[in-house]
Amino acid sequence: MSEYDIAIVGAGAAGLAAAIAAGEATSESRLRIAIIEGARTPGAKILVSGGGRCNVTNQVVSPEDFWGGPHPTIRRVLGAFDVPRTIEWFKKLGVRLKLEPDGKYFPVTNDAQTVLDALLGRVATLGIKLIPGTRVISVEPLTNHFKIGLSKGSPIHADRVIIATGGLALPKSGSDGAGISMLRSLGHTIVPTTPALAPLILGKSSDLGGRFSEFSGVSMDVRLRLRRNRQVTAELTGALLFTHFGVSGPVAMNLSRHWLRAKLEDERAALHVTMGSPTLSSSEAADQWLIEQSAKHPRQHLATILATLFPERFAKALATELGDVRTLAHLTREDRLRLAGMLSDLPLPVTGTRDYSHAEATAGGVDLHEIDPRTMQSRKIPGLYLCGEILDVDGRIGGFNFQWAWSSGHVAGWAAAERD
Ligand SMILES: Cc1cc2nc3c(=O)[nH]c(=O)nc-3n(C[C@H](O)[C@H](O)[C@H](O)COP(=O)(O)OP(=O)(O)OC[C@H]3O[C@@H](n4cnc5c(N)ncnc54)[C@H](O)[C@@H]3O)c2cc1C
């Protein structure tokens, strides 16, 4: 007979949500649940999340906020444990959340520790056994139960297993992809992994796009477009931050997975990233804007007008690109067209992205087609459930990745608790 009804591998956001959901699912008979966690102190990633404040979820979460596996599957999982239920759940755990103007929810304490303490506190009151500092090295399906090999001590046995070992982002937190390798050896298909939500690295040259490190520290709203063999394959708007190595900020980080996936699919594909004003979506629109500004403010200095779109330092650099043009009245048609191109589609010489140590998520993972979204149970191995970042689902910045962890964790926990 197994020592545990349910063993959960990984005490990150998804594993803790699954444990609590399973622990709360049965009121009459208490299930024997264990969480095995490789790190000595669990929850490292929760603590660093959202700049230490933990962006728990978002006001509006839909499948369109995610990339990877099929949207109908993601919709079903998110729908089973949605944002209002998440907020209510946290309230019951004693974590009050506040909504910020950009739609992100944070704990009112502005401290990620509040979230982790509440999750671990609930795990303890439910009598769930947390086994920290122990890595799972193998999961072996036997008749009606699983044998779980550990990095120390004897193997344990459990009737059902939930794997919540995360992806590869921030490996020092303990999420190093070991769970993905384990599932590959159990016969699951792994969609190739790349970092997601990572800053972009830019090359250097004498062009304006190659001198962006001069603007290190400057932040502005932009539209980024990724073209693959001239076709626009991703178009995103949001805040961009120039750094000494390239660009960061939500829009650059959201774009990183698209750049890496395109390179993964075709190493030789010609990829171009361009940056422009979020309000001027084409060079025609930018040209029209310049014509209007020239008619309204002929005596204005070009840099002053451009500073209505971009921060002053960047506006000055753009104006300087046109040589000795001083006022809008001096702008020739040729200057105007060149500037319109720069305002809407300035090349950003992306050479790559930072690695997993600087990424907030993983793109790719266990193929979502092999998971039943009603239960998060493996379609290949009955009694084995998966949740969180280990799956081929990655969200954009804004609390979406945690929402996926809470939702998929709940579905897995409920289902594992109810299985005969
Ligand atoms: C710097 C940073 C900031 C972020 N900020 C936000 C944010 O504000 N909002 C948001 O929505 N998302 C954020 N994210 C993303 C979010 O943290 C993750 O998507 C989420 O934590 C994934 O949860 P998970 O439980 O699936 O995996 P993880 O949190 O990675 O947890 C997996 C756990 O499994 C353990 N483990 C791994 N292998 C084994 C093994 N073999 N045996 C035992 N244990 C094992 C690991 O030690 C780890 O504790 C951020 C990520 C980073 C890196």
Side-chain angles (χ1 to χ4, degrees), residues 76-97:
R76 178 146 202 158
V77 177
L78 294 172
F81 191 76
D82 58 11
V83 173
R85 279 188 92 167
T86 303
I87 296 169
E88 193 52 38
W89 180 59
F90 273 108
K91 197 170 154 195
K92 278 198 198 130
L93 291 175
V95 182
R96 282 202 303 125
L97 300 176

Side-chain angles (χ1 to χ4, degrees), residues 305-369:
I305 284 298
L306 295 179
T308 61
L309 291 178
F310 296 118
E312 210 176 310
R313 257 166 79 193
F314 192 74
K316 264 192 194 148
L318 273 178
T320 309
E321 283 294 291
L322 294 192
D324 61 358
V325 173
R326 302 193 62 78
T327 64
L328 289 176
H330 287 97
L331 209 57
T332 63
R333 183 170 180 276
E334 196 189 3
D335 288 336
R336 222 186 52 226
L337 292 177
R338 190 165 157 230
L339 186 56
M342 291 197 279
L343 290 180
S344 55
D345 251 350
L346 183 67
L348 207 60
V350 175
T351 57
T353 79
R354 299 202 86 185
D355 63 12
Y356 282 112
S357 324
H358 297 89
E360 292 196 3
T362 309
V366 177
D367 193 335
L368 216 52
H369 294 95

Side-chain angles (χ1 to χ4, degrees), residues 9-15 36-39 45 48-50 54-55 134-136 164-166 170 173-176 178 359-360 387-389 399-402 405:
V9 189
I36 307 139
E37 166 56 49
K45 214 179 269 187
V48 299
S49 68
C54 188
N55 175 198
T134 307
R135 286 183 70 80
V136 167
T165 48
L170 202 67
S173 69
S175 314
D176 56 3
E360 292 196 3
C387 54
E389 199 175 308
F400 302 98
N401 285 303
F402 274 139

